[in-house]
């Protein structure tokens, strides 16, 4: 790595950072009259980051959480990570507290690398400003609006499968699925459809992603520096696209509802304020970022579990074939079709329980408050995590078993199944993700069965969950489905 060319600079930086973080943590933890939750702050600066990352590297991030719950307190414990003293809230009660107190005792918080890269987007906003911005973004991302983009998603899935899966004997799932989720996001958010343009943006996003969770030190060669450079290049692209779109909307060669970008340019909040150009750019950057690696991780995990459990695959296939049978050949998926995919969504939910792509997220204490007999001091960073509840045997019987029927009927206990977070800061893309995942499942199970080439391939968090070797599979075409229907869309 280029970093090694700067040993002196690095040492100095390390020293400065150490001093900064040590003072911060000492000041925080030596305040008097406090009954903090139990736990260990680990080593100076790094805290327990390395231990946390080791568990993530094994794809077993819940081990970090559950070991500490057992050792200290099942409800809440403290630790230190990313240079921040942190309190981890556990189980449905802990999740509920963080999710239902936004703007009261707590508010959303992201590490400074995230805030610096995503500048004026929703993730850096709090309070009423966040509410307004969220409402604007939701005019495009709510189920009612997304209905209209379903056939576009389906058409993109057709073309994608035709180009990247059809006729192949082996496929490396993880990089291939990215082409689908990224292309879909580019198309629906900003009508970027030219493949050269998309692959350029895609490699810029790879740079961006590597630096999102990193020490925010901005010198040539650092991960954060590369990410900043990539983000700026993407912003320039988006700027040109917006300029052209304004003209096209004016002379009616672009439609006001064609994508997220048109929505954001033409929709104002209740006071008549429009988002500024910078805010639009940063939000599209945010959604492109938040919206493709997450779904790609889930779809990859779906390949893994369906490959491991043929009876689950068979049931998904049966449901999807019934849907196809009710349609005319070549007709694209409709909203009613999606509503019928109950079993398939239960399968995807079980995948989200066992292999959540995002392990949790942060809040910050806005006031001193007490929780479970402990003091939670103002300013401390708080963390909720899927790991404290998704594998809890009292909430999910035989938690290690794959069992989609858990989601039938009333489903899991409230606040125990939280792959999308909860409360006012819950994932904005849940419906978008549900649609793109189901559309993909529909199209893939009807055309192929597959075999995992590395049956026990490990998945690891970096920072999102992904297969260590890219999940190579062997494909076998299924001949029940007439391949001619490709022709009409491909
Ligand atoms: C299966 C796929 C996905 C998963 C598991 C996921 C998970 C999450 C989680 C855990 C959070 C934090 C919630 C919290 O702090 O309470 C989040 C936030 C967010 N997600 Fe997703 N996400 C997914 C897909 C998407 C997609 C497709 C989009 C965009 C279309 C998206 C956009 C966002 C945004 C904008 C936020 C920030 C919301 C805010 O700060 O108010 N996500 N997501
Ligand atoms: C929070 O508690 C600390 C320590 O007890 C105290 O010094 C501080 O003034 C309190 N802050 C607020 C906003 O109540």
């Amino acid at each position: 790595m280029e970093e090694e060319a700067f040993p002196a600079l690095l040492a100095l930086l390390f020293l400065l950072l150490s001093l900064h973080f040590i003072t911060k943590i000492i000041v925080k933890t030596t305040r008097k009259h406090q009954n903090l939750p139990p736990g260990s702050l680990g080593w100076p600066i790094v805290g327990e980051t390395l231990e946390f990352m080791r568990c993530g590297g094994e794809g077993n991030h819940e081990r970090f959480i559950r070991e500490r719950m057992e050792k200290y307190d099942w409800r809440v414990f403290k630790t230190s990570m990313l240079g921040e003293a942190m309190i981890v809230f556990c189980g449905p009660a802990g999740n509920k507290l963080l999710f239902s107190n936004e703007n009261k005792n707590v508010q959303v918080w992201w590490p400074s690398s995230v805030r610096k890269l995503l500048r004026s987007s929703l993730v850096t906003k709090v309070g009423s400003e966040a509410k307004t911005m969220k409402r604007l973004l939701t005019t495009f991302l709510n189920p009612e609006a997304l209905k209209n983009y379903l056939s576009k998603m389906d058409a993109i899935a057709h073309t994608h499968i035709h180009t990247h899966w059809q006729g192949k004997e082996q496929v490396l799932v993880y990089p291939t699925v990215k082409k689908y989720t990224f292309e879909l996001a580019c198309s629906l958010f900003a009508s970027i459809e030219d493949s050269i343009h998309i692959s350029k943006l895609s490699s810029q996003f790879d740079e961006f992603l590597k630096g999102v969770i990193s020490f925010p030190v901005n010198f040539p060669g650092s991960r954060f520096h590369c990410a900043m450079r990539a983000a700026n290049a993407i912003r320039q692209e988006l700027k040109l696209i917006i300029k052209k779109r304004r003209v096209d909307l004016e002379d009616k060669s672009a439609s006001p509802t064609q994508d997220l970008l048109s929505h954001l340019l033409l929709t104002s909040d209740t006071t008549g304020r429009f988002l500024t150009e910078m805010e639009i750019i940063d939000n599209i950057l945010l959604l492109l970022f938040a919206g493709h690696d997450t779904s790609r991780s889930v779809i990859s995990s779906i390949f893994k579990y369906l490959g491991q459990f043929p009876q689950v695959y068979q049931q998904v296939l049966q449901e999807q074939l019934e849907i196809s049978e009710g349609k005319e050949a070549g007709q694209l998926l409709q909203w009613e079709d999606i509503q019928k995919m109950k079993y398939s969504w239960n399968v995807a939910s079980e995948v989200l329980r066992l292999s959540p792509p995002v392990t949790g997220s942060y809040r910050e204490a806005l006031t001193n408050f007490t929780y479970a007999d402990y003091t939670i001091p103002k300013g401390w960073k708080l963390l909720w995590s899927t790991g404290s509840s998704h594998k809890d045997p009292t909430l999910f019987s035989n938690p290690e078993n794959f069992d989609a029927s858990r989601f039938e009927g009333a489903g899991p206990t409230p606040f125990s199944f939280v792959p999308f977070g909860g409360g006012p800061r819950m994932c904005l893309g849940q419906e978008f993700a549900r649609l793109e995942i189901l559309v993909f499942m529909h199209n893939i199970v009807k055309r192929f069965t597959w075999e995992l080439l590395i049956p026990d391939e490990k998945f690891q968090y970096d920072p999102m969950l992904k297969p260590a070797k890219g999940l190579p599979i062997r494909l076998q075409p299924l001949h029940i489905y007439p391949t001619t229907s490709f022709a009409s869309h491909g």
Side-chain angles (χ1 to χ4, degrees):
M1 266 208 287
E2 276 173 78
E3 268 116 313
E4 274 145 29
F6 301 89
L9 186 57
L10 254 185
L12 183 67
L13 248 161
F14 186 72
L15 194 72
L16 287 175
L17 277 172
S18 316
L19 279 174
H20 172 70
F21 288 125
I22 290 175
T23 355
K24 226 162 122 176
I25 290 174
I26 288 178
V27 167
K28 274 188 178 163
T29 49
T30 52
R31 275 186 205 143
K32 290 198 178 63
H33 319 300
Q34 285 185 343
N35 173 28
L36 289 169
S40 161
L41 296 176
W43 297 90
I45 334 152
V46 286
E48 299 193 292
T49 313
L50 297 181
E51 187 54 27
F52 183 75
M53 281 165 54
R54 184 166 333 120
C55 292
E58 293 162 8
N60 190 0
H61 118 285
E62 68 267 4
R63 187 161 69 81
F64 179 91
I65 305 285
R66 296 194 66 80
E67 277 176 5
R68 282 161 185 72
M69 288 166 72
E70 238 159 81
K71 193 162 161 196
Y72 302 119
D73 193 312
W74 282 90
R75 302 165 296 177
V76 61
F77 64 85
K78 69 170 179 291
T79 177
S80 156
M81 245 182 262
L82 305 163
E84 296 280 354
M86 210 167 269
I87 295 174
V88 183
F89 285 67
C90 305
N95 294 339
K96 183 175 179 185
L97 181 104
L98 293 188
F99 295 158
S100 55
N101 279 289
E102 182 76 13
N103 301 323
K104 293 175 205 149
N105 291 340
V106 306
Q107 72 184 17
V108 80
W109 178 83
W110 289 101
S112 90
S113 52
V114 175
R115 280 175 283 141
K116 287 185 172 144
L117 283 164
L118 293 166
R119 296 199 314 209
S120 64
S121 72
L122 175 65
V123 285
T124 66
K125 306 280 188 209
V126 293
S128 64
E129 228 187 323
K131 231 183 248 168
T132 317
M133 192 173 270
K134 188 155 195 162
R135 207 177 301 130
L136 285 176
L137 296 174
T138 312
T139 58
F140 177 80
L141 290 170
N142 73 61
E144 274 304 306
L146 285 175
K147 267 183 194 178
N148 305 318
Y149 300 91
L150 194 59
S151 45
K152 195 163 183 184
M153 282 189 179
D154 195 19
I156 290 173
H158 278 241
T159 315
H160 167 79
I161 291 173
H162 187 56
T163 316
H164 299 286
W165 302 74
Q166 195 75 9
K168 302 256 169 23
E169 265 172 43
Q170 286 190 17
V171 173
L172 203 52
V173 171
Y174 190 67
T176 309
V177 168
K178 184 199 171 97
K179 293 188 199 320
Y180 167 69
T181 56
F182 192 65
E183 198 179 309
L184 201 67
C186 284
S187 170
L188 271 74
F189 296 162
S191 302
I192 305 169
E193 272 150 13
D194 163 62
S195 64
I196 296 169
H197 204 165
I198 290 178
S199 66
K200 189 173 137 210
L201 266 179
S202 166
S203 53
Q204 284 165 336
F205 259 97
D206 289 340
E207 286 291 300
F208 178 81
L209 273 172
K210 281 188 216 146
V212 166
I213 304 291
S214 64
F215 267 108
V217 285
N218 199 354
F219 59 84
S222 73
R223 274 183 159 213
F224 181 72
H225 180 84
C226 297
M228 279 295 247
R229 204 177 45 195
N232 287 334
I234 300 167
R235 284 195 180 92
Q236 285 309 321
E237 285 288 320
L238 291 173
K239 210 173 178 147
L240 293 176
I241 294 172
I242 290 182
K243 197 167 164 196
K244 178 164 189 311
R245 179 65 58 85
R246 285 194 201 276
V247 175
D248 291 350
L249 281 170
E250 194 74 14
D251 64 24
K252 308 234 177 331
S253 58
S255 129
T257 56
Q258 78 182 52
D259 57 12
L260 172 74
L261 176 59
S262 277
H263 273 263
L264 294 184
L265 284 170
L266 298 172
T267 316
S268 61
D269 66 21
T270 44
T271 66
R273 184 180 95 89
F274 287 84
L275 293 183
T276 65
E277 184 160 307
M278 238 334 130
E279 287 171 332
I280 293 180
I281 290 176
D282 286 340
N283 278 307
I284 293 184
L285 188 66
L286 164 67
L287 293 182
L288 284 170
F289 153 65
H292 79 277
D293 261 13
T294 40
S295 319
R296 166 203 200 188
S297 167
V298 185
I299 294 175
S300 302
S301 295
I302 288 175
F303 272 99
K304 171 181 119 167
Y305 290 107
L306 294 190
Q308 283 175 347
F309 305 114
Q311 69 286 13
V312 179
Y313 168 88
Q314 280 304 330
Q315 258 182 273
V316 172
L317 175 64
Q318 195 185 334
E319 181 176 84
Q320 298 298 345
L321 286 178
E322 277 165 22
I323 290 166
S324 290
E325 278 156 17
K327 301 176 73 65
E328 285 165 36
Q331 191 198 7
L332 292 170
L333 286 171
Q334 307 295 307
W335 185 246
E336 306 75 64
D337 301 324
I338 296 287
Q339 304 318 305
K340 291 182 197 147
M341 300 185 184
K342 290 211 166 62
Y343 180 73
S344 301
W345 184 244
N346 289 348
V347 167
S349 301
E350 181 68 341
V351 169
L352 282 163
R353 181 185 71 84
L354 285 166
S355 304
V358 183
T359 57
S361 73
Y362 306 100
R363 302 291 191 270
E364 180 177 14
L366 289 176
T367 56
N368 295 335
F369 64 94
T370 43
Y371 178 71
D373 315 324
Y374 303 111
T375 306
I376 311 298
K378 178 180 173 175
W380 274 56
K381 307 303 176 270
L382 318 174
L383 176 70
W384 64 267
S385 87
T386 52
S388 73
S389 58
H390 282 199
K391 299 273 181 79
D392 183 336
T394 65
L395 297 164
F396 300 96
S397 59
N398 301 317
E400 298 298 332
N401 293 359
F402 190 98
D403 177 5
S405 73
R406 307 175 191 279
F407 291 90
E408 287 167 9
T413 317
F415 297 103
S416 64
F417 174 65
V418 289
F420 295 101
R425 303 310 299 233
M426 184 166 168
C427 177
L428 209 58
Q430 185 180 359
E431 185 63 16
F432 188 91
R434 188 176 82 97
L435 294 181
E436 68 179 324
I437 290 167
L438 287 174
V439 165
F440 195 85
M441 282 173 90
H442 175 81
N443 281 292
I444 206 84
V445 296
K446 288 191 316 185
R447 295 189 173 95
F448 308 102
T449 58
W450 56 89
E451 187 191 322
L452 304 175
L453 288 173
I454 312 174
D456 52 356
E457 183 171 354
K458 292 270 169 295
F459 276 56
Q460 39 191 223
Y461 286 96
D462 177 30
M464 258 168 240
L465 189 65
K466 62 176 167 203
K469 304 225 156 55
L471 201 68
I473 59 170
R474 193 191 321 281
L475 275 183
Q476 287 105 25
L478 258 189
H479 291 294
I480 344 171
Y481 189 71
T483 43
T484 44
S485 72
F486 272 124
S488 48
H489 312 288

